[in-house]
């Protein structure tokens, strides 16, 4: 027979307790009987119960003491209270103490059965809500970190592994790769998710203001400090603090950070009282801290302290296979925000974006997509809706560049011949020839010897063609 639920029945009337236990077992409940609070506590330590059914008067003991104990040690267990001395105030007090319901003795079978079913239904709903909440918490922070790239999938595994660790985490990568989003994901997947997440851009403030921002200050600490103010470390107590651009911190600030990372203690600016916090520290930088240590601009002891776990985010050009996924996501977001009905980018525009090196990474891609949605005229966005830095049509009025090669030597966009009516063969071929040479130059990082070999022409011929086609201007390398 399947057991509906396990019940701890607590009553000092042995005859009544055994009779009720037999009836509950006939109703397919698993029942354990206790006659004192001490015995009930012992039972609770030996096995979990779905429900506690307890009298309020247990000889000289008070059932409210048991309610408090259950709420503290087994918060998922539902409590039903029964008493022969109920008043309206007793019922209110029991509910406030944590009981689900109060039943009056003598108990009626149907009344008890209904109360048990309602209590267990409510418990099942609470369990399901908690399960769904945990699923949401697990995904929280990652819903915008979209990737099929194996490097990012490994990073997701690392985030799961270190989410609840106390060790500091150093996130490195180029600007715009999503370091802040990964920091939030670590926080949201940890047991600190209900605590605050406090972000500080260390490079945005001078040293004195940064110290006040991080550690707070007391009244009179500096001119204009009329009142005391808590710092970010105090505000992040019980949660996570994210220190971005940590590589910009001065030597003096590095000493203060080393202490707070080691001891989680600090004094406010201008104060003498030592404050202690329970804060998880995540740091990020786009600089090479190991090189900064060698150069003497970053303290070696601080480097080893922050570099316990290092998450290195790849650039967008290293995970270019994710670009269609990211473009689709940003396109839907921008369309909704701008109240535009945009379906997609056409193939030519997508090919151009896939070949662009994206120096600003995902942040730049998001801005490009938003700009295209704002300025696009049709429901399908085209090459004309992309900014000049992607298409090569720049402000210096260079000849139109219909597409660019991938800086890592990726696949090329289709060559466009365009309108050739009224043109000589030489003139008609200039456009495609220029595009082919430009793509090859970019694919070989503007190495002319490698480009000539790839195109199977000699270097002199390449130089002449570059000059004739306007490709010898050095500014084109940065277009």
């Amino acid at each position: 027979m399947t057991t509906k639920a396990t019940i701890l029945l607590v009553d000092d009337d042995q005859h009544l307790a055994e009779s009720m236990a037999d009836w509950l077992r006939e109703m397919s409940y698993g029942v354990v009987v206790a006659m004192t609070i001490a015995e009930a506590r012992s039972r609770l330590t030996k096995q979990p119960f779905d429900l506690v059914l307890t009298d309020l008067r247990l000889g000289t003991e008070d059932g409210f003491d048991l309610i408090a104990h259950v709420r503290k040690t087994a918060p998922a267990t539902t409590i039903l209270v029964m008493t022969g001395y109920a008043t309206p105030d007793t019922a209110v007090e029991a509910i406030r103490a944590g009981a689900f319901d109060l039943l009056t003795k003598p108990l009626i079978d149907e009344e008890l059965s209904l109360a048990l079913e309602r209590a267990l239904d409510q418990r099942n709903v609470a369990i399901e809500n908690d399960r769904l909440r945990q699923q949401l918490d697990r995904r929280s922070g990652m819903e915008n970190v979209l990737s099929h790239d194996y490097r990012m999938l490994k990073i997701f595994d690392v985030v799961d592994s270190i989410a609840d660790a106390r060790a500091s985490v150093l996130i490195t990568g180029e600007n715009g790769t999503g370091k802040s989003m990964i920091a939030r994901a670590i926080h949201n997947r940890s047991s600190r998710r209900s605590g605050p997440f406090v972000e500080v851009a260390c490079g945005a403030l001078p040293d004195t203001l940064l110290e006040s921002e991080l550690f707070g200050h007391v009244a009179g600490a500096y001119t204009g400090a009329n009142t005391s103010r808590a710092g970010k470390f105090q505000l992040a107590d019980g949660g996570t603090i994210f220190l971005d651009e940590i590589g910009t911190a001065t030597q003096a600030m590095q000493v203060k950070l080393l202490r707070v990372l080691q001891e989680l203690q600090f004094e406010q600016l201008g104060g003498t009282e030592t404050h202690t916090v329970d804060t998880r520290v995540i740091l990020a930088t786009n600089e090479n801290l190991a090189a900064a240590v060698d150069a003497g601009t970053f303290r070696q002891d601080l480097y080893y302290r922050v570099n316990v776990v290092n998450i290195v985010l790849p650039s967008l050009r290293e995970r270019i296979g994710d670009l269609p996924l990211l473009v689709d996501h940003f396109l839907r977001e921008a369309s909704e925000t701008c109240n535009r009905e945009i379906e997609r980018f056409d193939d030519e525009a997508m090919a151009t974006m896939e070949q662009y090196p994206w120096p600003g990474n995902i942040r730049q891609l998001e801005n490009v997509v938003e700009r295209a949605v704002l300025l696009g005229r049709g429901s399908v966005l085209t090459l004309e809706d992309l900014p000049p830095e992607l298409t090569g049509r720049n402000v210096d009025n260079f000849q139109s560049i219909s597409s660019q090669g991938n800086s890592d030597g990726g696949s090329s966009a289709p060559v466009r011949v365009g309108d050739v009516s009224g043109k000589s063969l030489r003139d008609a071929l200039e456009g495609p020839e220029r595009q082919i040479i430009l793509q090859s130059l970019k694919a070989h990082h503007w190495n002319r010897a490698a480009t000539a070999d790839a195109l199977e022409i000699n270097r002199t011929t390449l130089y002449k063609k570059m000059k004739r086609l306007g490709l010898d201007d050095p500014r084109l390398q940065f277009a």
Side-chain angles (χ1 to χ4, degrees):
M1 182 183 296
T2 303
T3 300
K4 290 182 180 179
T6 56
I7 299 175
L8 176 60
L9 174 60
V10 187
D11 199 309
D12 61 342
D13 186 332
Q14 184 176 0
H15 176 73
L16 176 63
E18 290 179 352
S19 174
M20 188 181 301
D22 290 340
W23 181 78
L24 290 172
R25 292 186 184 110
E26 291 177 1
M27 299 289 291
S28 300
Y29 290 103
V31 184
V32 174
V33 177
M35 300 186 65
T36 65
I37 290 181
E39 187 181 358
R41 288 185 176 185
S42 176
R43 298 288 190 182
L44 286 165
T45 60
K46 293 177 180 178
Q47 75 173 89
F49 291 92
D50 298 315
L51 189 143
V52 170
L53 178 59
T54 181
D55 198 344
L56 279 183
R57 290 192 178 185
L58 299 168
T60 59
E61 297 179 307
D62 190 345
F64 281 103
D65 293 337
L66 179 59
I67 295 175
H69 176 76
V70 174
R71 290 268 55 83
K72 182 178 180 181
T73 61
T77 300
T78 303
I79 303 171
L80 273 178
V81 170
M82 52 186 177
T83 181
Y85 307 93
T87 67
D89 290 340
T90 305
V92 171
E93 187 178 359
I95 300 301
R96 285 179 176 174
F100 173 74
D101 201 355
L102 182 142
L103 305 175
T104 304
K105 290 182 176 180
L107 297 179
I108 301 173
D109 290 351
E110 291 77 6
E111 180 185 8
L112 177 58
S113 177
L114 181 60
L116 290 172
E117 290 177 4
R118 288 196 304 111
L120 292 172
D121 285 344
Q122 187 267 349
R123 182 178 184 275
N124 291 336
V125 169
I127 291 173
E128 178 65 13
N129 286 342
D130 187 60
R131 185 185 67 82
L132 293 173
R133 189 180 300 109
Q134 289 179 1
Q135 290 181 352
L136 290 173
D137 287 339
R138 179 170 174 79
R139 292 195 297 268
S140 183
M142 285 294 192
E143 64 273 10
N144 291 330
V145 187
L146 305 174
S147 182
H148 297 312
D149 186 86
Y150 74 94
R151 302 174 189 83
M152 294 300 297
L153 296 180
K154 286 184 176 180
I155 288 173
F156 297 163
D157 290 339
V158 171
V159 168
D160 281 335
S161 299
I162 56 107
D164 272 328
R166 290 298 302 268
S168 57
V169 180
L170 177 65
I171 306 173
T172 56
E174 298 178 6
N175 285 333
T177 49
K179 295 187 286 293
S180 176
M181 294 176 67
I182 295 297
R184 287 182 180 275
I186 294 172
H187 170 76
N188 288 329
R189 292 184 175 213
S190 74
S191 57
R192 296 173 176 268
R193 66 179 68 90
S194 58
F197 179 87
V198 179
E199 185 170 351
V200 182
C202 297
L205 298 169
D207 221 26
T208 304
L209 290 180
L210 179 58
E211 182 178 357
S212 174
E213 187 77 5
L214 291 177
F215 309 125
H217 63 256
V218 298
Y222 55 86
T223 303
N226 298 322
T227 59
S228 298
R229 195 187 74 165
K232 298 297 188 182
F233 270 97
Q234 287 173 284
L235 296 177
D237 192 16
T240 303
I241 187 168
F242 174 51
L243 304 179
D244 199 6
E245 303 174 53
I246 190 60
T248 63
T250 64
Q251 290 279 344
M253 179 55 64
Q254 290 175 33
V255 173
K256 295 181 174 65
L257 285 174
L258 180 60
R259 181 196 172 198
V260 75
L261 289 176
Q262 289 177 333
E263 304 172 8
L264 292 177
Q265 292 184 333
F266 58 89
E267 287 79 40
Q268 292 182 313
L269 182 63
T272 57
E273 180 184 355
T274 298
H275 297 269
T276 302
V277 292
D278 174 22
T279 303
R280 173 75 176 280
V281 181
I282 303 177
L283 311 97
T285 182
N286 61 354
E287 300 182 18
N288 186 333
L289 291 188
V293 170
D294 293 338
T297 58
F298 199 85
R299 291 178 61 95
Q300 187 178 57
D301 48 3
L302 179 58
Y303 173 68
Y304 289 132
R305 186 65 186 82
V306 303
N307 197 33
V308 179
V309 178
N310 184 199
I311 296 177
V312 183
L313 295 183
S315 63
L316 180 54
R317 60 183 169 276
E318 292 175 300
R319 43 179 286 218
I320 203 66
D322 283 337
L323 187 133
L325 186 68
L326 293 166
V327 167
D328 180 67
H329 173 71
F330 293 140
L331 190 63
R332 285 186 282 107
E333 276 196 341
S335 298
E336 182 177 346
T337 301
C338 302
N339 197 25
R340 297 286 309 278
E341 293 185 4
I342 305 295
E343 296 178 10
R344 59 183 176 86
F345 284 90
D346 68 14
D347 293 344
E348 188 176 23
M350 285 298 300
T352 298
M353 287 192 285
E354 288 174 344
Q355 294 168 50
Y356 183 67
W358 298 105
N361 292 292
I362 298 173
R363 185 182 298 128
Q364 182 187 11
L365 174 63
E366 183 177 9
N367 292 338
V368 165
V369 173
E370 185 176 6
R371 174 190 184 275
V373 170
L374 283 169
L375 303 180
R377 297 180 179 178
S379 61
V380 177
L381 302 176
T382 69
L383 198 65
E384 301 297 323
D385 299 312
L386 297 179
E389 63 265 25
L390 268 72
T391 61
R393 297 185 299 273
N394 57 42
V395 296
D396 294 318
N397 293 320
F398 290 114
Q399 290 177 286
S400 175
I401 303 172
S402 56
S403 65
Q404 299 182 10
N406 189 316
S407 62
D408 293 324
S411 59
S412 299
V415 176
R416 296 190 304 165
V417 177
D419 184 13
V420 299
S421 58
K423 295 182 179 179
S424 66
L425 180 61
R426 176 187 173 92
D427 292 338
L429 290 176
E430 272 191 0
E433 185 179 27
R434 186 177 189 280
Q435 182 182 349
I436 292 168
I437 293 173
L438 179 61
Q439 287 177 348
S440 186
L441 283 167
K442 287 186 172 293
H444 295 90
H445 307 287
W446 289 83
N447 184 315
R448 299 186 182 191
T451 300
D453 291 340
L455 295 175
E456 298 182 358
I457 59 177
N458 61 55
R459 299 179 194 178
T460 302
T461 301
L462 175 63
Y463 297 158
K464 289 180 179 179
K465 287 181 178 292
M466 287 177 63
K467 186 174 183 179
R468 176 171 60 84
L469 297 171
L471 294 175
D472 58 341
D473 192 314
R475 291 175 294 177
L476 272 176
Q477 297 182 36
F478 308 99

